[in-house]
Amino acid sequence: MNKPKIVVLGAGYGGLMTVTRLQKALGQDEANIVLVNRHDYHYETTWLHEASAGTLHHDRVRYDVDSVINRSKVEFVRAEVEDIKPAEKKVVLSTGEVEYDYLVIALGGESETFGIPGLKEHAFTISNVNAARQIREHIDYQFATYATETEKDENRLRIVVGGAGFTGIEFLGELVNRVPILCREYDIDYSKVRIYCVEAAPTVLPGFDPELVQYAVAQLEKKGVEFKIGTPIKEATTEGIKVDKGDGELEEIKAGTVIWAAGVRGSSLIEKSGIENMRARVKVDADLRAPGHDNVFVIGDCSLVINEEINRPYPPTAQISMQQGEVCARNIVKLIRGDQGTLETFKPDIKGTVCSLGDNDAIGVVYGKKLTGTKASFMKKMIDNRALLMIGGPGLVLKKGKFNFI
Ligand code: NAD
């Protein structure tokens, strides 16, 4: 009898969780497991803001896919996914076509620019390892150039962060620790540096606990961040950004570096696939399958799961992706073993949310308890280490974990 073929697209949190659980649960004679990813490494998306600011080396935020998969059970294909064809049960890769019996789409998210002109051309996004390296090097270059040029261009020392969501705030937390080091390195007066956080909503971290938000804003302001709240970015240019002043008039904020951290969407491959979606995210059935596609699971940032209590989608987080990966793997095992009737319903178990503010400060709500400062920062590192533990075991935690708890 032919073994069923499970193809998992993406080696992010969701994809790797699925594969590591499948390789444990299934015998070699039960299924062929294929994992496809564009790089031969996984990166911790939730640590990219550190690599972008230059407070953590980019190699610390990634590890080889090979170090967590069992090659005797999993075939790894390093390739770009170009097309998903559910009607033909196949996926087109840059290296050729792959057919599947079960497909797991775990391709992660993409930056959402809402059609704002100039952003794609003139702003950076904290989206992958190389983009993070580019941001770090760009800021470094701006400071180095300012230090050596005779006619000083102060815009080189101006950094705009667009969006005060978790990504924007976590990046700012790292940036305010990194910039004083850069200033010392390049003999630049820190008072000449301007760091703006521009947010469209009337508050920083919209929807988060107001007391914790106030703490975060105060900590970042103390270190030099200037918040421009209720100020939507309308355009990005070679000179900086243009914002809506509130009266419909545009105001220019000049900056040599613009980081766009104002939203994510699912993968554009979802939109091309013909699977029903909303902004490239699939509102999955309770068992994580795409509606109308019995053999296609969608997890992570490409999926949409509604929190019935507030009738809004759960946020696309690593925590949820990993939990989905576990349920998805168990459901595929059931399908393969002919247990169709008892597929598990996915229900997120939100243990908490922590937003870092640099290496030794953070805010968070964990098991319903509010935390700030080093306690919150400790929790954040434990969360980071837990993700490594869940996917790669204690060995990976020892290799890549965060242990600087002071
Ligand atoms: P987000 O959508 O959560 O935040 C984007 C922010 O940008 C919002 O506050 C929005 O009002 C603002 N914005 C949108 N358009 C704008 C404009 N034109 N001008 C200025 N501001 C604008 O995006 P994110 O921060 O990248 O987070 C994405 C998801 O990942 C979220 O669900 C978040 O909860 C999650 N996340 C979690 C953590 C964590 O738990 N520590 C860290 C990072 C991201």
Side-chain angles (χ1 to χ4, degrees):
M1 208 181 89
N2 272 350
K3 284 192 281 181
K5 189 173 194 175
I6 309 164
V7 174
V8 179
L9 304 179
Y13 295 105
L16 278 191
M17 201 68 180
T18 307
V19 167
T20 54
R21 294 311 177 263
L22 284 175
Q23 70 187 10
K24 218 180 266 173
L26 289 171
Q28 245 156 347
D29 53 343
E30 281 186 289
N32 288 319
I33 307 168
V34 179
L35 171 64
V36 181
N37 197 52
R38 65 158 68 100
H39 309 294
D40 55 6
Y41 59 84
H42 158 93
Y43 58 83
E44 300 287 300
T45 313
T46 58
W47 305 11
L48 284 179
H49 60 283
E50 297 169 73
S52 303
T55 46
L56 190 68
H57 192 272
H58 54 266
D59 282 336
R60 279 290 309 281
V61 312
R62 63 178 164 187
Y63 55 81
D64 290 342
V65 168
D66 249 348
S67 66
V68 294
I69 61 171
N70 177 348
R71 286 300 278 258
S72 70
K73 287 189 176 175
V74 179
E75 181 193 347
F76 175 63
V77 178
R78 183 179 171 180
E80 189 74 26
V81 180
E82 293 180 345
D83 224 342
I84 300 166
K85 299 191 166 178
E88 294 166 56
K89 285 182 146 192
K90 71 179 183 195
V91 177
V92 181
L93 308 179
S94 51
T95 50
E97 293 186 351
V98 181
E99 296 190 340
Y100 61 81
D101 295 293
Y102 298 98
L103 180 69
V104 180
I105 304 177
L107 288 164
E110 291 172 9
S111 171
E112 172 63 275
T113 52
F114 308 107
I116 297 172
L119 277 175
K120 283 201 174 118
E121 299 79 12
H122 306 302
F124 297 97
T125 54
I126 302 172
S127 48
N128 56 51
V129 173
N130 287 329
R133 292 173 73 172
Q134 195 187 15
I135 294 170
R136 187 201 69 207
E137 301 227 342
H138 177 82
I139 295 173
D140 235 274
Y141 173 81
Q142 293 286 8
F143 278 62
T145 308
Y146 178 87
T148 49
E149 65 194 358
T150 32
E151 263 183 53
K152 304 268 184 225
D153 177 2
E154 304 231 327
N155 289 337
R156 295 191 188 282
L157 307 183
R158 290 166 166 239
I159 303 169
V160 164
V161 177
F166 280 86
T167 306
I169 294 301
E170 290 198 325
F171 175 66
L172 284 161
E174 299 299 324
L175 197 62
V176 292
N177 287 344
R178 172 76 177 143
V179 166
I181 296 170
L182 281 179
C183 285
R184 274 200 300 280
E185 257 177 43
Y186 293 112
D187 308 310
I188 294 169
D189 177 359
Y190 187 39
S191 67
K192 292 207 181 306
V193 178
R194 307 284 295 269
I195 301 172
Y196 299 104
C197 178
V198 183
E199 166 59 51
T203 169
V204 164
L205 294 173
F208 204 52
D209 181 276
E211 199 187 335
L212 295 177
V213 171
Q214 208 179 359
Y215 174 90
V217 169
Q219 293 295 88
L220 292 173
E221 278 182 339
K222 214 160 62 187
K223 292 184 173 179
V225 177
E226 297 171 49
F227 285 93
K228 289 185 177 286
I229 302 305
T231 312
I233 295 177
K234 292 291 186 188
E235 195 182 334
T237 66
T238 47
E239 299 281 295
I241 55 164
K242 289 186 181 163
V243 299
D244 184 346
K245 283 199 305 180
D247 51 7
E249 290 280 302
L250 293 187
E251 180 187 317
E252 187 175 38
I253 300 176
K254 292 200 170 208
T257 307
V258 177
I259 314 291
W260 178 248
V264 287
R265 68 203 303 281
S267 163
S268 42
L269 288 165
I270 295 271
E271 288 170 310
K272 274 207 316 184
S273 72
I275 300 174
E276 199 184 319
N277 67 87
M278 293 154 74
R279 293 224 322 250
R281 297 179 77 192
V282 179
K283 192 167 171 235
V284 286
D285 289 339
D287 54 23
L288 298 176
R289 287 185 287 184
H293 298 273
D294 277 357
N295 54 353
V296 179
F297 289 80
V298 185
I299 61 173
D301 289 7
C302 289
S303 72
L304 192 83
V305 178
I306 300 289
N307 180 348
E308 304 289 353
E309 281 166 32
I310 53 170
N311 199 26
R312 289 191 59 184
Y314 281 102
T317 62
Q319 184 177 197
I320 290 183
S321 295
M322 288 197 298
Q323 291 177 8
Q324 286 180 321
E326 287 189 287
V327 173
C328 172
R330 285 198 289 270
N331 281 346
I332 291 175
V333 171
K334 283 186 177 181
L335 287 173
I336 284 176
R337 292 181 182 160
D339 214 355
Q340 174 96 25
T342 60
L343 289 198
E344 199 176 315
T345 290
F346 173 68
K347 178 111 187 58
D349 172 20
I350 310 293
K351 295 173 172 53
T353 305
V354 182
C355 176
S356 66
L357 302 169
D359 186 47
N360 54 7
D361 200 359
I363 52 171
V365 181
V366 181
Y367 292 113
K369 211 172 156 224
K370 288 189 215 179
L371 298 174
T372 57
T374 47
K375 274 190 194 152
S377 170
F378 174 81
M379 278 314 297
K380 179 77 178 169
K381 286 168 188 165
M382 295 306 282
I383 293 166
D384 288 348
N385 290 343
R386 186 171 178 275
L388 296 171
L389 183 72
M390 299 279 288
I391 290 173
L396 189 62
V397 181
L398 287 175
K399 221 160 113 191
K400 293 283 173 177
K402 293 181 177 172
F403 301 107
N404 48 334
F405 292 126
I406 317 141

